Amino acid sequence: MSSFSPGFRGRDRSVTDRLPPGQYPTESFPVLSAGPTPKVPMETWKFTITLEDGGEHSWTWDEMMALPQEEPVHDIHCVTRWSKFDTRWRGVSVDTFFEDVETSADYSVAHSYGGYTTNLPLDDLLDGKAWIVHSYDGYPLSPEHGGPARLLVPHLYFWKSAKWVRGLQLTHQDEPGFWEAGGYHNYGDPWQEQRHWGD
């Protein structure tokens, strides 16, 4: 015989459908970083795509802000097991940066001010899957959350959304980044619980 507690209806079905295995929802926005928060003045900030042959395409802050802006709303999932629903951002689609970029590379390494790196297949950055964002919830992105600009790749664990992003290096070979070289999963799909190598 099952028991019943008055007033308890179970977890909202929409929440369970949106929550990857092993995750819990949070209203807060925890701050986790691999090192100290770098100070990056917008006057000197630059975003650079480095091609496999060494060629470069670069944008200053003002040039990025002059590009078409989007306002993606996505759930995000951290490998430390928290998930935050309906996060609201403003920034530029990675597709926009690649409009005049010709490459035969299959992979990329995101580089950050401060030295952090993370690797991603190029396909996971294109076709509306990723952005360079500069605002969160209607306000400029704070330094502790990756400001002035960070990579946003919401379909992967959040360590792939590199804070303080300064560029993408395109490569023919997959090159593990900071956490991947330390034992984190090379891809990081929350729905497959790809937290560590071997998952």
Side-chain angles (χ1 to χ4, degrees):
M1 182 173 176
S2 61
S3 61
F4 175 78
S5 299
F8 178 74
R9 300 179 181 222
R11 183 175 281 177
D12 187 319
R13 182 74 182 162
S14 65
V15 170
T16 58
D17 289 346
R18 295 166 66 182
L19 198 63
Q23 298 289 112
Y24 68 88
T26 182
E27 294 292 328
S28 64
F29 197 161
V31 176
L32 301 167
S33 300
T37 299
K39 296 180 180 177
V40 187
M42 286 183 288
E43 303 81 52
T44 59
W45 181 91
K46 183 181 287 188
F47 177 70
T48 301
I49 295 174
T50 303
L51 305 179
E52 60 270 34
D53 64 3
E56 294 184 345
H57 297 258
S58 292
W59 294 262
T60 65
W61 184 264
D62 288 342
E63 288 170 338
M64 178 187 71
M65 296 301 287
L67 294 173
Q69 303 290 309
E70 298 184 7
E71 297 186 348
V73 178
H74 285 280
D75 300 343
I76 56 175
H77 312 288
C78 182
V79 72
T80 59
R81 299 188 181 275
W82 60 261
S83 291
K84 187 171 178 63
F85 297 143
D86 296 322
T87 60
R88 298 176 178 274
W89 309 85
R90 182 174 174 82
V92 178
S93 172
V94 172
D95 293 313
T96 300
F97 291 104
F98 273 82
E99 283 181 357
D100 296 321
V101 172
E102 293 186 12
T103 180
S104 60
D106 293 320
Y107 302 99
S108 70
V109 178
H111 290 265
S112 298
Y113 290 95
Y116 179 78
T117 59
T118 189
N119 58 314
L120 304 107
L122 190 54
D123 283 347
D124 284 275
L125 295 174
L126 303 176
D127 297 325
K129 297 175 188 170
W131 295 262
I132 303 299
V133 293
H134 53 76
S135 300
Y136 172 74
D137 207 18
Y139 295 92
L141 193 59
S142 62
E144 61 267 26
H145 286 303
R150 75 177 296 158
L151 182 61
L152 175 66
V153 191
H155 67 282
L156 299 177
Y157 279 126
F158 213 45
W159 90 79
K160 294 288 187 178
S161 295
K163 295 181 178 180
W164 316 297
V165 69
R166 65 177 178 83
L168 295 170
Q169 178 183 358
L170 307 185
T171 63
H172 290 297
Q173 315 272 309
D174 196 9
E175 300 176 9
F178 178 85
W179 286 119
E180 296 83 9
Y184 277 44
H185 196 279
N186 199 49
Y187 185 64
D189 183 346
W191 295 96
Q192 300 296 320
E193 280 203 274
Q194 294 175 338
R195 303 177 192 275
H196 305 98
W197 282 97
D199 286 348

